[in-house]
Every structure is written in structure tokens, then in C-alpha cells.
Amino acid sequence: MKLRKVSTPLRQLQRQANRQASSFSTAARPRAPATTTLLCRCLAPTAPAPTPSSPRARRAYATAATTVPASSFLFGQPVHETHPHLLAPGELTPGISAQEYHERRARLVAALPEGSAVLLPSAQTQYRSGAVFHAFRQESNFLYLTGFSEPESLALIVKTSPQDGDYIFHLWCRPKDPKQEQWNGPWSGLDAARDVWNVDEAGDIGRLDQGLTAALKGVTKIYTDAELTKYGVPTRLGNTLRAAASGISTAPLKPAINSLRAVKSPAEIACMRRAGQASGRAITNAMRRDWKYEKEIAAFLDYEYQKAGLDGSAYIPVVAGGPKALLIHYVLNNGSLNDDEFVLVDAGGEYGTYITDITRTWPVSGKFTPPQRDLYEAVLSAQRASVSLCRESAGVTLDKLHSITETALRDQLQQLGFDVGGNAMSTLFPHHVGHYIGLDVHDVPGFSRGTTLREGHCVTVEPGIYVPDDERWPKAFRGLGIRIEDSVAVGEDSPLILTTEAAKEVVDIEALRD
């Protein structure tokens, strides 16, 4: 397994004694990769119980431990040794290294006062109906700080000194259980939590009550967004925390972590660029074909994402034929498509849980009618201008960008004969021009759109015009809905369009059917 960090000098000695690890450098937290074998629990029924002071107390291996190659071991998520086609050496999730996960934790605790701890419960399995469950998706902040993608887990990061990167990373998760795993699939267990995810102290989630009190010793404030009460009544976690840490105050985690998550690292942007490239190509390929039904496009795009190596769709797509495009979040995708209409497709894939968000609108026939072309060019002109401002040197916020875009659309519509007085723009352009993107489609919820865009912010730029079928509007454009959206990484002096492979120029779209 790839071991990526060292601890403080005292914990180095403990690890050498307890786990027979190789010697570590004290200069920095990252540590050299270990061999690609893993000591797996193989307890003999008569094995003597370890004493609390023995090196085996924390690992509880049998007298005759078995060395198993990591490539033949089952984990709860891909690791490099089992899935080298998905993960490079040193990566915990596609594109993101164990080193980067450590640096995220270090930056977070460095921004918090002494005596702080960060408490993060994992997401839980969500059920569609009865025993039918959805694919598991980890809670975003938990994933951002740990890279660990299993339910029934709790992470605790305790700041131990003012020095940068000095913290203890606790993780309570499910221990290996062959009988349960036979029914539910593999999970990683406590040893892998230490060896792969670089947890300092791993514990059984079923024994959280016993370990949390000691882990919180010396902590004076806990930062968490966990649901500790519901309808005024303490939750199970709330009761556990109150019993373990009576008197310790809590504060919301979101303000502290949002500012970190909002600025993407080069590795994060690379993941989003890969998702954008493959998604853009998939949408362009969809434009090449004749389609009769909305659901065909939705199914085609998901297949194209998977074939290109993405994780799948980042969200339920919008595939809206004709006037259904006026419904911003139309996701039924069960209608037919007519040659004389537009189809609006808001879709994107994800890679390593990093998403891309794209919207394209094109004529079902492949050829624009004059009114379709005129209105489309109006939206495209505004979109191009707004994308060009996604640079730190422009000094704009998302809210300012929205105002600029609305003004550009108003000017374009006036030239087409629209009366844009009164509340016209709230009808024709009813949504914001953009939002932050990253691990979530609407990333870092609560992070202000009034924040000046800086290098590393990733946003969407998605102007749209939706013309109701009523007499207030020019007849030629009634019932048309157009949105053009790209995902963009903000640069210092220029934007990086993450979704440029999705065709959007009229001449390019029409050429796809020639």
C-alpha cells in the first residue's frame, strides 16, 4: 500500500513498534511508499489476548499472521494495487493523491484556533424503496478531507499544536467481517484505514462511545455540520458526543471549509477537465445523430461517459424537446422530439467524484431556422463575453457577472424586437448566470456569489432565454428555450474552459450532420 505521511516523533516510535514499519523522516508528514503487501487479520480461536501495553494491542493480529498481497485483498473502494487501471500509485481517489488529502487536513486545522477538532460523519446508504438502495455517495466534506468512501464511518481531526500540519487523524469505521461482506460486498476495515488512508488512530464504529472521549481530550471546540439534534431532540450522534464531550462547544464547519474547497488545486482542475473533455465529446457526438425520443439521448450520454472512463452521470440530465425547455429542471426525459424544434440538453459526467456541468441547445433536425439562429446567437454572444471575464484580473464576482450577462442579453433581445421593460428579464432570464462547481454540482453551498473570483475558483457560465408562448413576445420566438453553459476554471489572466469539446458555434453544430 502507499503510505503517505509520518507523524510526530512520538507517534513514529509507536508505529515502528506496533506495525514494524520502516523508519520515517521527521522533516515532513508524507512518508515513502511501503511494499504492496498487507498484513490481514487472521485470528486463531486460541490466540492469546493482547495486553493493553503490548505492541499487538492496537492491531490484534493472531500469533501466526498471514501476509497477503494487496492486489488479492478486497477493499471497500478501489486502491492502486487492485485497480491500477483507475488509480495511479499514491492516489486515494482518481487524480487525487494521499499527499493532497493530508495537505487539505493540514490547511484546515491551521486555520482553526488551538484546542479545535473537526468532526465529520460519513453519508449513509440511501434507500429508493424497501431494500432497494441507491449507489453510495460519500458526504462531500468527509470525502474532501479523507478520500475514504464508505458509510458507517466517523472522522475526527484534532489539532495538536500551532505548527502547520500537526494533527491527529481518527477514523471509526467498520472492521472486516467476512460473513457480512459475503452479503453486502467488501469493506476496507481498520488495518486498511491505517495503511491506505493514513489514519493515525482507527477504531470500530460500533465502539465509538468507548473511543471518542479519549480522542477529544484537550479539545475545547468542535467544528462540525453533523446533525446533532432533530426537531429539538438530540440525535444518536448528538447523544454520543454529549456523553463524550460534555461542556465542549460546537461551531459550524461550513464557513471554515468552504473557503478551502472553493479554490481548486491543479489536481482537482485536472479531474474536472477530464470530466469536461469526455462529457463535451459525448454531447457533440449526440448532436451528430438523429433522435426520436428524449430518453435515447439521456441513455446515449451515460453510455458515452462510462465508455470514456468517467464514473457516470454527475446528475440527472435535462433532455427537453421543444417548449419543455422552458422548464429549467425538466428531468422526466420521456417525450418525443420533433424536427422543427430545439432540444435542450443539460448534462455532464464526473471523474473521481468531480463533476462537469454543460448545457447545449441544438435543432433536432441539425439545421437552424432563421428565428432559432437569431435567438441562439443572442445567447451565445452574451455567454462568450461572460466567459471571457472569468479571470482574476477582471475583479468580478458571480453576482457582478450575472448583472453584466443580463445587460448583454437585454441589449441583444431589444435588437430582435423584444420589449424588455418592466419585469421582462425576470421572465426571460429567470435564473442566475452561474454557480460554483467541484465535488458537487452546486459546490460549497453557502459560499457567497459576492466573493471576487480568483484563480482556482471553478464556476459555470450559463445564460439562457426562455420565451413563453404568449402575445407579449415576438411571435417567431414564442416557445423557444435556449441555454448555453460551460464549466470554467478561473485563471489569473484568462479562463480555462473545461468543456470546450462540446460544440456551440452555429456553423460547427450544423456541420456535424454534413
Side-chain angles (χ1 to χ4, degrees), residues 112-118 216 218-223 248-251:
L112 300 178
E114 290 189 54
S116 297
V118 175
L216 289 171
V219 171
T220 57
K221 179 171 284 190
I222 298 171
Y223 290 82
I248 298 180
S249 64
T250 61

Side-chain angles (χ1 to χ4, degrees), residues 351-375:
Y351 178 72
T353 319
Y354 284 90
I355 69 97
T356 192
D357 196 352
I358 309 173
T359 305
R360 291 294 186 265
T361 309
W362 69 89
V364 175
S365 67
K367 301 297 180 182
F368 288 80
T369 66
Q372 287 175 340
R373 180 191 297 264
D374 289 343
L375 193 60

Side-chain angles (χ1 to χ4, degrees), residues 215-263:
L216 289 171
K217 186 177 181 181
V219 171
T220 57
K221 179 171 284 190
I222 298 171
Y223 290 82
T224 185
D225 294 325
E227 188 176 54
L228 302 180
T229 62
K230 189 171 185 178
Y231 308 123
V233 178
T235 62
R236 181 178 179 182
L237 178 59
N239 281 325
T240 299
L241 185 60
R242 185 167 58 180
S246 179
I248 298 180
S249 64
T250 61
L253 173 63
K254 189 178 294 183
I257 197 169
N258 273 359
S259 60
L260 296 180
R261 279 184 54 190
V263 179

Side-chain angles (χ1 to χ4, degrees), residues 275-453:
Q277 182 183 64
S279 301
R281 288 173 177 169
I283 289 174
T284 297
N285 287 337
M287 293 181 188
R288 300 178 191 275
R289 301 191 179 199
D290 293 318
W291 302 100
K292 296 298 182 185
Y293 302 101
E294 294 166 349
K295 68 178 181 180
E296 293 175 333
I297 297 179
F300 174 80
L301 292 175
D302 191 59
Y303 169 73
E304 289 284 291
Y305 302 154
Q306 298 276 0
K307 189 175 70 170
L310 302 187
D311 305 333
S313 294
Y315 51 92
I316 299 174
V318 173
V319 183
K324 294 190 290 292
L326 276 64
L327 309 174
I328 307 301
H329 290 145
Y330 168 84
V331 293
L332 295 177
N333 302 337
N334 58 7
S336 59
L337 300 171
N338 300 316
D339 281 348
D340 61 345
E341 296 177 334
F342 271 139
V343 59
L344 184 153
V345 174
D346 185 341
E350 67 178 27
Y351 178 72
T353 319
Y354 284 90
I355 69 97
T356 192
D357 196 352
I358 309 173
T359 305
R360 291 294 186 265
T361 309
W362 69 89
V364 175
S365 67
K367 301 297 180 182
F368 288 80
T369 66
Q372 287 175 340
R373 180 191 297 264
D374 289 343
L375 193 60
Y376 184 91
E377 290 281 14
V379 177
L380 181 59
S381 175
Q383 203 252 2
R384 284 198 209 99
S386 295
V387 168
S388 72
L389 294 174
C390 292
R391 47 188 168 84
E392 186 170 329
S393 59
V396 299
T397 66
L398 272 177
D399 282 339
K400 179 63 175 177
L401 197 64
H402 177 81
S403 177
I404 292 170
T405 305
E406 184 175 86
T407 298
L409 288 173
R410 181 185 290 110
D411 292 344
Q412 292 286 332
L413 290 172
Q414 281 182 319
Q415 296 177 35
L416 294 176
F418 281 77
D419 177 3
V420 292
N423 66 345
M425 292 309 296
S426 64
T427 299
L428 298 170
F429 180 35
H431 58 76
H432 203 282
V433 74
H435 53 82
Y436 301 101
I437 52 172
L439 285 173
D440 293 303
V441 179
H442 287 253
D443 205 40
V444 288
F447 192 69
S448 173
R449 285 182 167 123
T451 301
T452 300
L453 294 179

Side-chain angles (χ1 to χ4, degrees), residues 38 44 72 116 119 124 136 157 171 231 277 409 446 465 485:
L38 180 70
S72 63
S116 297
L119 184 74
Q124 298 304 318
F136 178 73
I157 304 165
L171 181 69
Y231 308 123
Q277 182 183 64
L409 288 173
I465 292 295
E485 174 186 19

